[in-house]
Amino acid sequence: MHVSVNGEMVPVDPPQTVLQLLDSLGFSGKPVAVEVNLKIVPFDRHSEYELSDGDELEVVTLVGGG
Amino acid sequence: MNLDRYIRQMRFQPLGEEGQANLSNSRVLVCGCGALGSILANTLARAGIGYIRIVDRDFLELNNLQRQVLYTEQDVADGLPKAIAAKRHLEKINSSIQIEAVVADVSASNILELVDGIDCIVDGTDNFETRFLLNDASIKTGIPWVYGGCIGAEGQTMTVLPDDTACLHCLMQAGPPPAGTTPTCDSAGILSMIINVIASIQACEAIKILSGNLDAVSRKLQVFDIWENRIRQIDLSALREGSSCPACRQHEFAWLNGNRGSQAAVLCGRNAVQLSFPDHSGISLTELEEKLQSIGQVSRNSFLLKLSVEDVALTVFPDGRAIVQGTEDESKARSIYAKYIGN
């Protein structure tokens, strides 16, 4: 199946959780905010939230400079 | 109170004269006065916030001028702390408001004093540890705060209204990322333009809050990448629903209570480490100058003393802090401090 991450299509093998996808895309351990189909998925649900074909994700890495 | 100078701002209908009067009667804390803080302090002073308290731990360097718009080459030559230089410039910009400069590191031991009497906190800090402390203080006191953060050409902002919106801890449940795991201004660089975007939005959020226009406050994480031309808004309202957030739901305040947070900090984009020695507060800079004169090149003004020695520059503040420039190695910084200033 495919999901869209920040506007780009990414092929993934189901079943796939948000956490697994983040790990495979190199976001492990980084502070991120994740939205799936315009709804935010809290950090403590990343490991249980299963993605479906066509899901649209926005992944924001939170930044601390200023 | 004469509000003539704000006539253009008052013509903006949602503010009006009443909103402007509210701004004049309000007090804001600009927490950190580097890049974001410069714009925040400048914008809020011109907009007529009646009382602005500026706290910053750092002093000026030439590479700050690329993006820290309040400051001049003369400030750098004078070796001024940022808070002092900011106050001097802002008083020339708007003499009808009050500005207080505090040269200090924001910590669990002083944050409640810093927010005392304040109506809104705007975030000009450069690290998440301090932001988690601000978040705790905000929730505890009920004072709203406006987060802003930037790296490269990307920046984000969110507004925290205690007991209403999601807080920083709701958004970052794992806490601040460990040092070294996220890009800094040093590694990824920083464009001044994204700073201007983010700080301007933060200042507008502050003005909504302070003028009494809470309905206009954003409930979203607003994310800008002005190089890739992407603007995103992430709705945060669902984060608070059913959340057991340690900060805004359980009021545990780990940063405010001093259970979390570190004493030493690598400064963003500075190749420098800040050390904090609360026991050394009240140290005499004149006595220290005499002691160090034979050791290396020493310079001093009323606010700080700088010693160039070995391959680093050591700056000592009277509040018991030191910034060791030329290293990001905390243990090296500590050993240099111990060697020349003492334990």
Side-chain angles (χ1 to χ4, degrees):
Chain A
M1 68 178 189
H2 285 76
V3 297
S4 141
V5 179
N6 297 344
E8 292 193 15
M9 294 306 284
V10 178
V12 292
D13 296 324
Q16 180 101 191
T17 65
V18 167
L19 183 64
Q20 287 168 331
L21 179 68
L22 290 175
D23 284 348
S24 71
L25 294 176
F27 288 104
S28 308
K30 291 188 177 161
V32 290
V34 179
E35 191 184 62
V36 181
N37 303 330
L38 299 178
K39 288 211 168 66
I40 193 156
V41 180
F43 176 80
D44 58 7
R45 292 202 55 222
H46 288 183
S47 60
E48 62 194 46
Y49 191 107
E50 279 200 19
L51 295 167
S52 307
D53 189 35
D55 277 348
E56 293 181 3
L57 287 84
E58 289 294 338
V59 180
V60 175
T61 306
L62 298 162
V63 294
Chain B
M1 189 181 304
N2 188 337
L3 299 177
D4 285 355
R5 64 185 292 155
Y6 308 115
I7 188 77
R8 295 294 189 278
Q9 190 164 281
M10 287 190 291
R11 290 243 168 95
F12 180 69
Q13 194 272 329
L15 274 181
E17 200 163 330
E18 187 186 340
Q20 189 65 51
N22 289 341
L23 296 184
S24 296
N25 290 325
S26 62
R27 299 161 69 98
V28 73
L29 175 68
V30 176
C31 194
C33 205
L36 288 171
S38 282
I39 307 267
L40 289 165
N42 188 357
T43 309
L44 295 173
R46 288 177 194 272
I49 307 302
Y51 187 99
I52 302 179
R53 182 176 293 152
I54 298 168
V55 57
D56 192 282
R57 63 187 179 186
D58 207 358
F59 57 90
L60 279 154
E61 284 193 293
L62 190 59
N63 74 26
N64 296 149
L65 299 188
Q66 166 247 357
R67 64 197 181 283
Q68 302 186 13
V69 299
L70 262 183
Y71 309 119
T72 66
E73 290 182 357
Q74 189 61 50
D75 297 331
V76 177
D78 292 343
L80 289 179
K82 292 178 183 178
I84 301 291
K87 175 180 159 77
R88 290 182 182 175
H89 291 298
L90 293 170
E91 282 173 343
K92 290 180 195 155
I93 290 165
N94 191 345
S95 60
S96 71
I97 61 169
Q98 273 184 282
I99 295 155
E100 179 190 354
V102 182
V103 183
D105 190 29
V106 176
S107 68
S109 61
N110 64 8
I111 183 65
L112 290 180
E113 202 178 325
L114 288 167
V115 303
D116 187 38
I118 292 295
D119 302 305
C120 179
I121 305 162
V122 287
D123 169 22
T125 65
D126 62 2
N127 66 89
F128 277 118
E129 291 283 352
T130 308
R131 290 187 178 100
F132 271 77
L133 179 63
L134 289 186
N135 191 66
D136 274 1
S138 159
I139 306 290
K140 165 120 181 164
T141 59
I143 302 167
W145 78 285
V146 188
Y147 153 70
C150 297
I151 282 290
E154 196 175 339
Q156 299 142 10
T157 173
M158 77 181 272
T159 304
V160 176
L161 302 176
D163 291 328
D164 183 351
T165 67
C167 78
L168 185 69
H169 209 318
C170 298
L171 182 65
M172 300 178 72
Q173 288 177 344
T181 59
T182 51
T184 66
C185 301
D186 241 356
S187 60
I190 179 82
L191 294 185
S192 64
M193 304 83 189
I194 187 62
I195 293 282
N196 299 9
V197 170
I198 295 300
S200 294
I201 293 171
Q202 287 179 272
C204 195
E205 289 290 288
I207 281 180
K208 293 172 187 172
I209 292 166
L210 297 172
S211 65
N213 287 281
L214 284 179
D215 290 350
V217 168
S218 166
R219 310 295 166 126
K220 292 175 178 172
L221 174 69
Q222 305 193 70
V223 185
F224 296 77
D225 186 324
I226 58 170
W227 200 263
E228 301 289 336
N229 308 313
R230 273 171 63 79
I231 300 176
R232 293 182 278 174
Q233 292 202 315
I234 309 251
D235 189 348
L236 300 176
S237 48
L239 266 189
R240 191 172 153 80
E241 293 156 16
S243 140
S244 58
C245 174
C248 72
R249 290 295 196 186
Q250 299 179 46
H251 292 202
E252 284 176 1
F253 306 135
W255 279 266
L256 189 58
N257 295 335
N259 299 332
R260 294 192 65 175
S262 62
Q263 288 298 300
V266 176
L267 301 184
C268 183
R270 294 271 268 101
N271 188 29
V273 177
Q274 175 186 259
L275 304 171
S276 194
F277 300 92
D279 295 348
H280 292 192
S281 171
I283 195 166
S284 160
L285 296 183
T286 35
E287 283 174 26
L288 198 56
E289 184 180 26
E290 280 173 31
K291 176 182 153 190
L292 294 174
Q293 239 147 17
S294 59
I295 289 167
Q297 195 192 334
V298 183
S299 59
R300 180 179 66 81
N301 61 28
S302 333
F303 312 104
L304 54 85
L305 174 144
K306 194 179 264 190
L307 167 71
S308 296
V309 66
E310 299 182 27
D311 55 349
V312 301
L314 178 64
T315 302
V316 180
F317 296 86
D319 66 353
R321 285 181 307 121
I323 291 175
V324 185
Q325 236 172 317
T327 182
E328 291 194 344
D329 179 346
E330 186 188 323
S331 57
K332 180 180 174 183
R334 283 191 184 284
S335 71
I336 285 171
Y337 184 91
K339 191 167 160 189
Y340 296 107
I341 311 298
N343 286 304

